[in-house]
Amino acid sequence: AVLYLDLDHFKKINDSMGHAVGDLLLQKAGTRLLSCVRETDTVARFGGDEFVILLPEILTPENVIVIAKKILHEIAQPFTLNNQEFYITTSIGIGLYPDDGQDVQIILKSADIALYNAKSQGRNIYQFCLPSAAILAQHKVILESELHQALKQQEFALFYQPKINIKTGKIVGVEALIRWQRSDGKTMMPIEFIPLAEENGLIIPIGEGVLHAACMQAQTWLDRGLPPITVAINLSTQQLDKNIISTVKRILNETSLEPKYVELEITESALMQITEKNIALLFNLHDLGVKLSIDDFGTGFSSFAYLRNFKVDSIKIDRSFITGIPYDSNACAITRAIITMAHALNIITIAEGVETKEQLDFLRENDCDQYQGFLFSKPLPEKDIYPLMFNNLQEK
């Protein structure tokens, strides 16, 4: 058996009392874990406040439960650190060989998923990996390996969806959307692999590749004589690290694209979770001359206060509201309010997922600035988007 442990709320003690106290707590927790297992077992600190315990020659799951309960009890006892008592608990995820996997990576991933379930159910408990979770863990390990190969073999491609000025009907920009064109001929959508890429850190090189390819394509269109349009690129919060400014500068320099033609999108829910350091990076990006947009607006807290504080150029009204137009009175009221408030702050409004003429008519009547959706065009590869843009932008 493999036990994956996480000390509940350790970060609060580490941040409030300092790393020296945090380190001492980790040492004492490690000593207690050793006292709960047999001499043939292995206890390892896995990183941060995580521990992994290997229990060889386990005959039944009940044997693991005995040890897990002992660990929960021992860790819950007060820790005396610098003459002061501290209380913490632990959550435990359990993976079993061979039921939950045939190799180290998959069993660890199974135990990790079980740990997540333990934490989501209130912490200070143990959870076994469910059979379905074990299958998911195996799938994630395989997919992660394939993602690494896809990055090396350049299997990612960009599709582009136009953004239309509602008043003129002209294309004013495109959103670059990644697709994974696998070697087996299947095409995977972002929702199928981007969460895993964010989990394992591959989103950094993937995101940089998307930014470079999109900027290069935008400059190529300009060189071919197309009128200037913006290219929007989705940005993960993980990309908001100390290297993002130099990365954007370098890519703009390498592609010769002016920053005013680049729009970086970040989802509203992600924006609400970023740190002050991340916010400073967003300000620095805006100071470079690139535009900033909030995607999926209306799905988070929808606070207009942070619209005022962030240097936001546009917001994209989430498709869940647009879908209800014009028959859902609540969707209509919310959309109307978003447009009015955004315009009061000099922020451009873009409607996502417009599929019907009735939706477009409502948006036009309520002064929404732009829209994108299947009513005009689905996302298209470069060979198809170029003639569409050429014809639209040449029309008088």
Side-chain angles (χ1 to χ4, degrees):
V2 171
L3 278 61
Y4 204 139
L5 291 76
D6 183 284
L7 300 182
D8 301 326
H9 306 303
F10 168 79
K11 188 174 185 298
K12 290 182 180 179
I13 296 176
N14 202 43
D15 291 347
S16 61
M17 303 305 297
H19 293 291
V21 172
D23 288 347
L24 188 58
L25 177 57
L26 288 173
Q27 292 169 21
K28 292 199 171 189
T31 300
R32 290 190 187 182
L33 292 176
L34 285 170
S35 71
C36 295
V37 300
R38 306 163 300 179
E39 288 187 3
T40 54
D41 300 330
T42 301
V43 178
R45 179 168 171 243
F46 206 55
D49 61 344
E50 297 177 334
F51 292 83
V52 169
I53 299 176
L54 174 64
L55 306 177
E57 299 180 4
I58 289 293
L59 300 180
T60 67
E62 285 71 23
N63 297 143
V64 186
I65 292 173
V66 171
I67 295 175
K69 286 183 175 179
K70 189 175 181 181
I71 290 172
L72 292 174
H73 177 266
E74 287 299 318
I75 296 297
Q77 303 310 304
F79 287 84
T80 302
L81 308 170
N82 295 343
N83 298 319
Q84 186 175 354
E85 285 191 345
F86 295 91
Y87 290 84
I88 62 168
T89 56
T90 186
S91 301
I92 305 173
I94 303 170
L96 298 175
Y97 172 88
D99 297 355
D100 299 330
Q102 299 288 325
D103 61 49
V104 174
Q105 277 189 308
I106 294 175
I107 296 174
L108 269 176
K109 184 65 72 174
S110 297
D112 188 20
I113 292 173
L115 171 61
Y116 175 83
N117 291 335
K119 293 170 71 172
S120 66
Q121 293 185 40
R123 305 173 190 267
N124 193 28
I125 60 172
Y126 65 85
Q127 285 285 298
F128 283 91
C129 184
L130 299 173
S132 58
I135 293 171
L136 175 62
Q138 185 169 358
H139 173 71
K140 288 179 71 174
V141 170
I142 294 171
L143 189 63
E144 182 173 342
S145 175
E146 292 175 342
L147 265 178
H148 280 278
Q149 289 301 315
L151 195 58
K152 290 179 183 177
Q153 297 170 11
Q154 299 182 332
E155 294 180 359
F156 300 109
L158 293 185
F159 280 49
Y160 300 89
Q161 186 171 39
K163 292 193 291 186
I164 315 301
N165 182 305
I166 290 179
K167 290 182 179 178
T168 66
K170 295 295 184 181
I171 296 174
V172 291
V174 293
E175 180 180 3
L177 299 164
I178 191 172
R179 301 288 186 267
W180 180 2
Q181 296 181 324
R182 295 165 54 102
S183 56
D184 59 10
K186 296 179 182 177
T187 297
M188 291 183 70
M189 304 298 282
I191 190 64
E192 299 177 86
F193 64 90
I194 289 298
L196 179 59
E198 291 181 323
E199 184 180 315
N200 61 27
L202 284 177
I203 193 64
I204 302 298
I206 290 174
E208 184 175 333
V210 168
L211 183 61
H212 193 283
C215 289
M216 181 176 291
Q217 186 59 73
Q219 184 59 46
T220 299
W221 286 330
L222 288 171
D223 294 341
R224 294 174 69 178
L226 278 183
I229 60 171
T230 61
V231 58
I233 301 121
N234 294 286
L235 199 66
S236 167
T237 52
Q238 289 192 29
Q239 292 175 263
L240 290 175
D241 61 14
K242 61 183 180 180
N243 298 317
I244 186 63
I245 305 300
S246 59
T247 297
V248 172
K249 281 183 177 179
R250 173 174 54 79
I251 289 175
L252 291 172
N253 183 60
E254 290 173 353
T255 59
S256 301
L257 185 66
E258 293 184 53
K260 63 183 179 181
Y261 299 132
V262 176
E263 188 171 60
L264 299 177
E265 294 185 3
I266 187 167
T267 63
E268 181 188 27
S269 56
L271 191 63
M272 297 305 298
Q273 299 173 18
I274 65 177
T275 64
E276 289 186 11
K277 186 183 295 184
N278 295 141
I279 294 171
L281 289 171
L282 284 175
F283 285 168
N284 291 337
L285 282 171
H286 198 272
D287 291 341
L288 289 180
V290 302
K291 295 180 173 66
L292 295 178
S293 179
I294 300 179
D295 197 6
D296 300 336
F297 190 83
T299 58
F301 293 101
S302 300
S303 169
F304 287 97
Y306 70 74
L307 287 185
R308 180 189 62 200
N309 296 330
F310 292 121
K311 297 180 179 181
V312 175
D313 297 284
S314 63
I315 58 173
K316 300 178 75 172
I317 306 170
D318 188 69
R319 67 179 62 244
S320 62
F321 300 114
I322 306 304
T323 300
I325 293 172
Y327 306 109
D328 184 334
S329 59
N330 289 334
C332 291
I334 292 171
T335 301
R336 195 181 291 116
I338 291 174
I339 294 170
T340 301
M341 292 296 291
H343 285 171
L345 297 170
N346 295 316
I347 294 172
I348 293 171
T349 52
I350 307 166
E352 294 183 284
V354 177
E355 297 183 354
T356 69
K357 183 178 182 299
E358 290 78 15
Q359 291 169 347
L360 182 58
D361 289 341
F362 174 89
L363 294 167
R364 183 181 290 110
E365 290 168 7
N366 287 277
D367 295 323
C368 185
D369 300 297
Q370 301 171 19
Y371 79 96
Q372 62 184 109
F374 282 17
L375 179 63
F376 186 88
S377 173
K378 64 180 181 180
L380 298 170
E382 196 282 330
K383 67 181 180 62
D384 296 325
I385 193 70
Y386 177 77
L388 179 64
M389 290 193 298
F390 181 85
N391 292 330
N392 174 270
L393 294 171
Q394 297 303 318
E395 292 172 357
K396 301 232 175 156

